[in-house]
Amino acid sequence: MSQTPEEIEADIARQRAELAGTVTELQAKLDVKTRARRKVDELGGPPVVLGAAGGVVLLVVVLKVWRSRRSRR
């Protein structure tokens, strides 16, 4: 069964719309900067992130000092 030109055009338009939606979804997934901002907002904003990062840095410094003092013995 063959399609009429109008049916073919309608099919092409539907496929273009589906493809556009897929491309939009992929762009959203690949936009790392926006995703990171959303995650920061979700976690409570920059102070929470900065506080956590500061805690990690402090922990690393304390562990390095502890290991260096321990290795001197």
Side-chain angles (χ1 to χ4, degrees), residues 44-71:
V48 172
V49 173
L50 291 176
V56 170
V57 169
L58 179 63
L59 178 63
V60 168
V61 169
V62 168
L63 287 174
K64 286 197 173 267
V65 169
W66 178 70
R67 284 186 78 188
S68 68
R69 287 186 180 183
R70 191 171 171 197
S71 65

